[in-house]
């Protein structure tokens, strides 16, 4: 019997096994990094509110050679230097998704790309509308557009929710695309006066970096110094220095060749991701998240249009944008939702994406660089909006926790104990033969036990 002709393809279905294994490793690192990020943010808030003078003195401390244009404060080093590692990993993730992941197939890529675009456009629209009505500054429209994947996964780790791998992959892919557009926003809208000589030399450095990769040159002692030089030139060019990180990440090869277990990009990502998630991003949070939080400051967040726009953009705009974009795509295309999931699941993930911490804080610093007081208020609104989104997502995810657990148990089931989940072996004859042998052995054991029990019963019924 032939299959139905108009069968609609499902999205958020089962991932291929290599993609699932890579996703599991990546999310494990991001989750640990997210917990460290949460600890750093709380530490910064306590430090800034209890010992405010020392906090400002430490993060304002300048280090670096002034002759090279690198006499920067610790806060600046964290935002422009350490976050370059974060964007370097984001560049590798994006390259891998484009050549070997969810984004390699244009049809499969359409959904997370549309969801990410809608999830960035709607918060910006919400922010612009709130500030337009309230007469506030429109400079912060980009602040609520970013999603912090590490913080989102930290929330999942804390509440103990086990998302199905396809839903986690959707969240990760969404965040990768989100990072790409956030990088473009920073490059286009937050670039100061350009030093074309420094920018030209940075481009030359990137070309050398690419040429060395193409020639197969190996050795960290070649690429690390070159990367530092490229970053320093980009820092002096007026273009935000984190752009250097994502550019170098995109240049790495992320498809393995014959004889390679992992591609160079995957290998380097495996080495650098813990440094990014466990050190760079938490230190950025430590020197950027410290804002004064008082009853008056919280009230100010909900009464000033610039800060209210950020909160509503993260909590309302992100949710409506991602969920609405995904629903419209499914409504007007041939794509259908995986039968194991429901639309409330996607709504919960869309709410979770409203946690916009790292990149939102960075954009807030860039958007209001000339107004330190407003910058701190914007940071407070990012923290508060992210907290509200996290609480709402926690409630929604908890309501579906048992359903998630059942789906994950099904994905992890390995009855033949060969290290590969059974769900990936359903079309393998060898798997069915192994299962048949196991079941026959179990049946034989049960027959033996039944005979023993029958013999015992017969003995009990005999003469005393």
């Amino acid at each position: 019997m032939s299959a139905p002709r108009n069968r609609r393809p499902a999205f958020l279905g089962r991932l291929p096994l290599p993609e699932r294994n890579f996703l599991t490793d990546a999310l494990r690192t991001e989750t640990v990094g997210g917990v460290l990020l949460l600890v750093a943010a709380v530490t910064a808030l306590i430090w800034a509110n209890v010992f405010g003078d020392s906090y400002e003195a430490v993060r304002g401390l300048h280090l670096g050679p002034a002759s090279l244009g690198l006499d920067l404060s610790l806060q600046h080093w964290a935002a422009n230097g350490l976050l370059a590692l974060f964007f370097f990993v984001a560049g590798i993730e994006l390259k891998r998704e484009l050549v070997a992941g969810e984004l390699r197939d244009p049809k499969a890529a359409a959904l997370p790309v549309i969801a990410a675009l809608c999830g960035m456009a709607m918060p910006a629209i919400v922010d612009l509308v709130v500030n337009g009505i309230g007469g506030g500054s429109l400079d912060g429209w980009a602040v609520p557009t970013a999603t912090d994947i590490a913080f989102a996964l930290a929330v999942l780790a804390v509440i103990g929710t086990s998302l199905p791998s396809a839903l986690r992959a959707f969240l990760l892919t969404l965040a990768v695309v989100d990072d790409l557009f956030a990088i473009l926003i920073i490059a286009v809208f937050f670039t100061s006066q350009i030093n074309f000589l420094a920018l030209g030399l940075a481009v030359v450095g990137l070309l050398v970096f690419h040429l060395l990769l193409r020639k197969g040159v190996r050795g960290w002692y070649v690429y690390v110094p070159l990367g530092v030089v490229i970053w320093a030139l980009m820092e002096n060019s007026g273009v935000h220095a984190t752009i250097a990180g994502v550019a170098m990440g995109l240049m790495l090869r992320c498809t393995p060749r014959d004889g390679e277990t992992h591609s160079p990009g995957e290998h380097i990502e495996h080495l650098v991701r813990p440094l990014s998630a466990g050190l760079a991003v938490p230190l950025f949070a430590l020197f950027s998240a410290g804002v004064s939080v008082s009853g008056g400051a919280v009230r100010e967040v909900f009464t000033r249009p610039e800060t209210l726009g950020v909160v509503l953009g993260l909590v309302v705009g992100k949710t409506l944008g991602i969920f609405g974009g995904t629903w419209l795509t499914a409504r007007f295309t041939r794509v259908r939702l995986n039968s194991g999931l429901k639309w409330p699941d996607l709504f919960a993930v869309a709410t979770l994406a409203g946690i916009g911490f790292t990149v939102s804080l960075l954009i807030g610093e860039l958007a209001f660089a000339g107004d330190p007081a407003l910058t701190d208020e914007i940071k407070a609104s990012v923290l508060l909006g992210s907290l509200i989104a996290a609480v709402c997502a926690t409630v929604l995810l908890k309501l579906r926790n048992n359903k998630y657990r059942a789906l994950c148990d099904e994905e992890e089931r390995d009855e033949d104990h060969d290290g590969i989940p059974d769900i990936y072996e359903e079309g393998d004859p060898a798997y069915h033969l192994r299962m048949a042998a196991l079941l026959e052995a179990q049946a034989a054991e049960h027959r033996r036990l039944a005979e023993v029990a029958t013999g015992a019963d017969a003995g009990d019924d005999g003469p005393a």
Side-chain angles (χ1 to χ4, degrees):
M1 183 175 179
S2 61
R5 290 186 177 182
N6 296 323
R7 186 177 182 182
R8 302 169 70 195
F11 71 87
L12 298 181
R14 188 170 73 245
L15 297 176
L17 185 60
E19 185 73 11
R20 172 187 174 278
N21 292 338
F22 173 83
L23 176 71
T24 300
D25 293 339
L27 293 183
R28 186 180 297 113
T29 304
E30 291 285 6
T31 301
V32 173
V35 173
L36 293 175
L37 178 61
L38 182 61
V39 171
V42 172
T43 302
L45 288 171
I46 295 173
W47 189 2
N49 285 274
V50 178
F51 307 103
D53 291 340
S54 67
Y55 180 76
E56 291 297 333
V58 170
R59 74 174 180 176
L61 182 65
H62 277 245
L63 300 171
S67 59
L68 299 178
L70 298 176
D71 182 20
L72 310 175
S73 67
L74 284 180
Q75 184 179 5
H76 195 125
W77 275 110
N80 287 29
L82 291 176
L83 276 195
L85 285 175
F86 169 80
F87 282 105
F88 176 69
V89 173
I92 299 175
E93 287 178 339
L94 178 61
K95 179 66 173 290
R96 187 188 176 282
E97 291 295 326
L98 288 170
V99 300
E102 291 290 296
L103 301 181
R104 69 186 183 280
D105 180 1
K107 293 181 180 179
L111 186 72
V113 170
I114 291 173
L117 285 173
C118 294
M120 298 187 79
M122 187 57 71
I125 291 171
V126 169
D127 186 88
L128 290 171
V129 168
V130 171
N131 283 281
I133 295 174
S137 171
L138 303 181
D139 293 341
W141 63 270
V143 175
T145 60
T147 293
D148 193 309
I149 184 63
F151 230 139
L153 292 171
V155 170
L156 291 179
V158 170
I159 65 176
T161 299
S162 300
L163 283 175
S165 60
L167 207 53
R168 287 179 290 162
F170 177 76
L171 179 62
L172 183 62
T173 306
L174 185 80
V176 169
V177 179
D178 188 288
D179 285 341
L180 170 64
F181 287 106
I183 291 163
L184 293 176
I185 288 173
I186 291 171
V188 174
F189 295 100
F190 298 104
T191 293
S192 57
Q193 291 183 347
I194 296 178
N195 181 331
F196 286 100
L197 176 59
L199 181 60
L201 291 174
V203 172
V204 170
L206 288 171
L207 292 174
V208 172
F209 188 91
H210 180 66
L211 181 62
L212 292 174
L213 290 173
R214 289 288 300 272
K215 295 294 184 181
V217 176
R218 296 179 178 271
W220 64 267
Y221 46 84
V222 174
Y223 292 103
V224 171
L226 179 58
V228 171
V229 170
I230 293 171
W231 172 86
L233 289 168
M234 195 70 75
E235 170 68 22
N236 281 277
S237 72
V239 177
H240 200 269
T242 54
I243 304 300
V246 72
M248 287 185 280
L250 284 169
M251 290 181 183
L252 293 175
R253 176 169 58 83
C254 292
T255 51
R257 292 175 179 170
D258 292 341
E260 290 182 340
T261 305
H262 301 287
S263 67
E266 291 173 315
H267 176 68
I268 294 173
E269 181 185 7
H270 180 74
L271 295 175
V272 178
R273 183 188 289 276
L275 188 62
S276 168
L279 180 66
V281 175
L283 281 178
F284 166 76
L286 181 65
F287 291 119
S288 294
V291 295
S292 177
V293 179
S294 62
V298 173
R299 286 194 299 272
E300 187 77 12
V301 167
F302 291 101
T303 56
R304 184 161 185 166
E306 291 89 347
T307 50
L308 180 61
V310 170
V311 173
L312 292 179
L314 288 171
V315 177
V316 178
K318 270 289 183 184
T319 304
L320 292 181
I322 293 172
F323 181 80
T326 308
W327 185 85
L328 289 172
T329 302
R331 175 67 177 82
F332 295 105
T333 67
R334 290 170 51 80
V335 177
R336 63 178 175 82
L337 185 66
N338 178 27
S339 59
L341 299 170
K342 304 298 181 184
W343 283 109
D345 301 329
L346 204 64
F347 188 84
V349 171
T351 305
L352 188 65
I355 301 175
F357 190 78
T358 304
V359 181
S360 290
L361 289 176
L362 176 61
I363 294 177
E365 290 182 356
L366 297 173
F368 300 101
D371 190 341
L374 182 54
T375 299
D376 280 349
E377 292 174 4
I378 291 294
K379 288 180 180 180
S381 67
V382 170
L383 295 174
L384 191 57
S386 297
L387 177 61
I388 294 172
V391 171
C392 292
T394 297
V395 173
L396 294 172
L397 290 167
K398 277 294 186 182
L399 293 175
R400 296 285 291 170
N401 194 49
N402 291 336
K403 179 67 173 178
Y404 293 145
R405 195 177 305 279
L407 288 172
C408 287
D409 288 344
E410 179 64 20
E411 288 183 353
E412 298 295 330
R413 184 169 52 86
D414 182 18
E415 293 185 357
D416 62 342
H417 306 293
D418 65 344
I420 300 175
D422 295 341
I423 200 169
Y424 289 95
E425 299 183 291
E426 292 174 347
D428 183 4
Y431 160 74
H432 293 290
L433 291 174
R434 287 196 301 273
M435 287 302 301
L438 286 171
L439 293 174
E440 287 168 1
Q442 291 175 8
E445 177 64 13
H446 282 294
R447 280 193 293 269
R448 186 186 68 80
L449 293 174
E451 292 171 358
V452 171
T454 301
D457 290 342
D460 291 339
D461 292 339

